[in-house]
Amino acid sequence: MDETSDYTLEIQIATRFLDDESAPEDDRYVFAYTIRIRNLGRLPAQLLARHWLITDANGKVDEVRGEGVVGEQPRLEPGEQFTYTSGAVLETAVGTMEGSYDMVGDDGTRFDAPIPPFTLAVPRTLH
C-alpha cells in the first residue's frame, strides 16, 4: 500500500502586506497570509500542531511552534479543505516563511506535511 496516497495534503498560500498596521520608520512590517489545506489522500487526517521558520532580509530567524492553527485543530476528510488567515511581523520589508504541520491520521499514523517556502514582501520591493 502506498502511504503517500493515504496521506497527501495540498497547501496553497496567498500573502498580503498590511500597510495600515505597519510602521516602516520603526522597522515594523506586518503581513497576512491565507493558507488553504486540502486533503488529497484516501484517509482522514487531523492537524495537531504547526512549526514555522520565519526569516527576515537581515537573516534573523524566528522559530514558532504551537498547537493547531488559529485556535483550531481541523480534521479533514478526503476531499475536504480548511482555510485560515494569520499574520507575521518582520523587521524588514522582505522575508520568507516555511514550515510544516504535524498531522495524525485516523489510524494513528503521524506524519509531517511540509509547508513550502513563500515570500512576504512589501509591494514594489521585489522586481
Side-chain angles (χ1 to χ4, degrees):
M1 196 176 259
D2 180 9
E3 223 177 275
T4 58
S5 59
D6 286 346
Y7 300 109
T8 304
L9 297 180
E10 176 187 69
I11 298 173
Q12 294 184 320
I13 302 146
T15 65
R16 68 182 184 281
F17 174 62
L18 302 180
D19 191 32
D20 292 349
E21 296 182 34
S22 297
E25 65 280 2
D26 296 327
D27 296 329
R28 178 181 164 81
Y29 300 87
V30 182
F31 299 90
Y33 55 89
T34 299
I35 297 184
R36 186 184 80 181
I37 306 163
R38 188 164 51 164
N39 186 352
L40 300 178
R42 293 191 302 234
L43 300 174
Q46 183 176 12
L47 189 158
L48 299 178
R50 68 193 182 283
H51 175 223
W52 286 110
L53 294 174
I54 307 165
T55 307
D56 72 14
N58 294 326
K60 177 184 169 193
V61 178
D62 285 325
E63 187 170 9
V64 177
R65 292 181 183 272
E67 286 189 9
V69 290
V70 295
E72 297 188 51
Q73 292 180 313
R75 181 179 174 277
L76 300 172
E77 291 284 341
E80 283 187 336
Q81 65 183 30
F82 178 80
T83 301
Y84 73 95
T85 299
S86 191
V89 180
L90 301 180
E91 294 177 2
T92 60
V94 177
T96 62
M97 288 181 67
E98 64 184 297
S100 62
Y101 296 121
D102 178 19
M103 306 291 296
V104 64
D106 279 6
D107 63 0
T109 299
R110 297 283 292 252
F111 64 99
D112 282 336
I115 305 165
F118 59 95
T119 301
L120 302 170
V122 173
R124 295 172 299 283
T125 302
L126 296 178
H127 302 294

